[in-house]
């Protein structure tokens, strides 16, 4: 009973936190569209989508990711529900939407947290792995998109966001009216997304509380031994799997104390990242993506981004070891 109560408490906290973000993102973008403001960003997003052979809807979604990745994903899901993005285009757009996250994360986590803790040299290597993931995502989206470029058949997504002066049915409504229209347009999607998010998160958290996903040190031990790392790194790596901030802080303390060398620290973090990424994707990203994109497309997008993130760590780790 305690397991289910703890899982329910975690799920409720997560759904309230993420649900509020999803609400603001979903309805915020809709309000902007109702007001016709997104059209002015057209020159920024279109070249990115064009390079990947994707339609204007992907460009609009990519632009929304600059402000909020959840907003971008929900916008792409909306276009897919309307039949304006195919499953393939939705998945590539979902991968492309994660690109702006790397800029934001650099400014909000890598520079203010990682740099002071690890120092310039190690932080630069850590940041390189993080940005390599973003580059791999961009290359993947462009390569897969150019294999079968989309052909525009419907109205331009940017043009639809603006009211035309000669359209009598497109008069600018007042702001209260805009809020009402946004609520009516997005309320079904919002409740569907939050419901699925709650269900998937609860099931995964029950597994976590039952100990089925908590045997991380058993996986970390052989991995660190294989790389010739000292036993002292097992604790920080295990902590890193569930909280990068705690793990990096723990590792920085060991470096300061002289218990491990900087080489051992960055090697352990890269190796730990290959365990941390699947755990994080399973606990947080997968429920969110399945709630937004649906079970199949959400799982595929999560899988693609996870593989690319692990691949970037493997490349950097190989470079460190050579």
């Amino acid at each position: 009973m305690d397991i289910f109560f703890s899982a329910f408490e975690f799920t409720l906290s997560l759904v309230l936190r993420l649900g509020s973000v999803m609400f603001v993102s979903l309805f915020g973008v809709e309000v902007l569209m109702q007001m016709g403001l997104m059209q002015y960003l057209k020159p920024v997003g279109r070249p990115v989508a064009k390079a990947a052979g994707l339609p204007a809807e992907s460009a609009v979604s990519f632009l929304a990711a600059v402000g909020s990745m959840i907003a971008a994903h929900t916008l792409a899901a909306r276009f897919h529900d309307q039949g304006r993005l195919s499953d393939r285009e939705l998945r590539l757009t979902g991968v492309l939407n994660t690109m702006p996250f790397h800029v934001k994360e650099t400014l909000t986590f890598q520079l203010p947290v990682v740099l002071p803790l690890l120092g310039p040299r190690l932080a630069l290597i850590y940041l390189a792995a993080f940005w390599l993931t973003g580059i791999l995502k961009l290359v993947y989206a462009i390569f897969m998109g150019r294999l079968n470029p989309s052909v525009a058949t419907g109205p331009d997504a940017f043009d639809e966001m603006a009211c035309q002066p000669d359209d009598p049915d497109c008069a600018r409504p007042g702001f209260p009216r805009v809020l009402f229209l946004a609520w009516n347009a997005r309320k079904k999607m919002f409740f569907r997304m939050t419901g699925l998010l709650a269900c998937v998160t609860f099931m995964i958290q029950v597994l976590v509380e039952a100990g089925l996903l908590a045997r991380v040190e058993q996986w970390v031990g052989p991995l660190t031994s294989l790389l010739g790392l000292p036993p002292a790194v097992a604790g920080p790596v295990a902590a890193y799997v569930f909280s990068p901030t705690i793990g990096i802080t723990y590792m920085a303390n060991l470096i300061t104390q002289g218990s491990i060398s900087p080489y051992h620290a960055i090697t352990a973090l890269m190796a730990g990242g290959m365990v941390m990424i699947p755990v994080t994707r399973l606990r947080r990203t997968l429920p969110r993506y399945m709630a937004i994109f649906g079970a199949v497309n959400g799982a595929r997008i999560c899988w693609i981004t996870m593989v690319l993130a692990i691949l970037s760590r493997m490349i950097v780790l190989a470079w460190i070891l050579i």
Side-chain angles (χ1 to χ4, degrees):
M1 184 60 69
D2 289 340
I3 291 177
F4 289 100
F5 179 78
S6 180
F8 174 78
E9 188 176 32
F10 177 88
T11 301
L12 181 61
S13 174
L14 183 70
V15 170
L16 289 177
R17 177 163 48 86
L18 282 182
S20 61
V21 175
M22 294 168 75
F23 180 88
V24 173
S25 301
L26 189 62
F27 290 98
V29 170
E30 183 63 29
V31 167
L32 291 178
M33 290 183 174
Q34 294 284 348
M35 298 176 67
L37 299 180
M38 292 287 285
Q39 61 169 326
Y40 299 107
L41 297 175
K42 178 179 179 178
V44 180
R46 188 180 292 278
V48 177
K50 186 177 181 180
L54 295 172
E57 286 79 4
S58 298
V60 174
S61 177
F62 176 79
L63 286 175
V66 175
S68 168
M69 188 163 60
I70 294 180
H73 288 337
T74 54
L75 184 56
R78 172 195 171 191
F79 286 138
H80 178 260
D81 289 343
Q82 294 173 346
R84 298 166 62 176
L85 287 178
S86 66
D87 286 341
R88 182 188 69 88
E89 292 167 344
L90 177 67
R91 290 192 291 270
L92 293 178
T93 301
V95 173
L96 201 60
N97 284 347
T98 62
M99 276 296 300
F101 163 78
H102 291 268
V103 177
K104 184 181 297 184
E105 184 78 356
T106 298
L107 298 176
T108 60
F109 179 73
Q110 306 292 338
L111 295 181
V113 176
V114 177
L115 180 59
L117 289 174
L118 296 182
R121 186 179 177 185
L122 296 187
L124 185 60
I125 298 174
Y126 191 89
L127 184 61
F130 179 71
W131 268 99
L132 180 58
T133 301
I135 294 173
L136 290 176
K137 290 175 182 177
L138 182 61
V139 170
Y140 174 86
I142 292 177
F143 177 77
M144 297 301 294
R146 298 306 298 179
L147 288 179
N148 185 20
S150 303
V151 179
T153 56
D156 189 284
F158 285 96
D159 294 338
E160 289 188 332
M161 296 176 187
C163 288
Q164 303 300 324
D166 57 348
D167 186 355
D169 296 326
C170 202
R172 299 280 186 183
F175 191 67
R177 177 66 177 171
V178 167
L179 295 178
F180 177 76
L181 293 174
W183 167 254
N184 281 340
R186 300 274 70 88
K187 61 182 180 182
K188 287 185 178 179
M189 177 178 285
F190 171 72
F191 288 124
R192 174 174 60 83
M193 288 164 47
T194 52
L196 186 55
L197 174 66
C199 292
V200 176
T201 300
F202 180 76
M203 288 187 293
I204 291 177
Q205 193 60 26
V206 167
L207 296 178
V208 172
E209 295 293 337
L212 299 179
L213 300 179
R215 300 176 182 177
V216 179
E217 289 201 37
Q218 296 180 7
W219 309 335
V220 171
L223 180 61
T224 55
S225 298
L226 180 65
L227 297 174
L229 298 175
V233 304
V237 170
Y240 177 78
V241 168
F242 287 99
S243 174
T245 302
I246 296 176
I248 292 174
T249 303
Y250 193 171
M251 197 75 74
N253 289 333
L254 292 181
I255 296 175
T256 302
Q257 295 168 4
S259 301
I260 60 174
S261 68
Y263 167 81
H264 290 146
I266 194 63
T267 302
L269 288 175
M270 290 299 106
M274 291 187 287
V275 180
M276 177 271 292
I277 291 169
V279 172
T280 302
R281 294 296 191 277
L282 181 62
R283 294 188 64 189
R284 300 177 183 176
T285 308
L286 183 61
R288 187 185 311 170
Y289 279 17
M290 291 178 68
I292 296 174
F293 296 113
V296 176
N297 285 321
R300 286 192 175 187
I301 294 172
C302 185
W303 169 259
I304 293 169
T305 55
M306 181 187 74
V307 170
L308 294 177
I310 294 175
L311 179 60
S312 71
R313 266 68 173 182
M314 292 177 64
I315 293 173
V316 174
L317 180 60
W319 174 75
I320 294 173
L321 295 175
I322 293 176

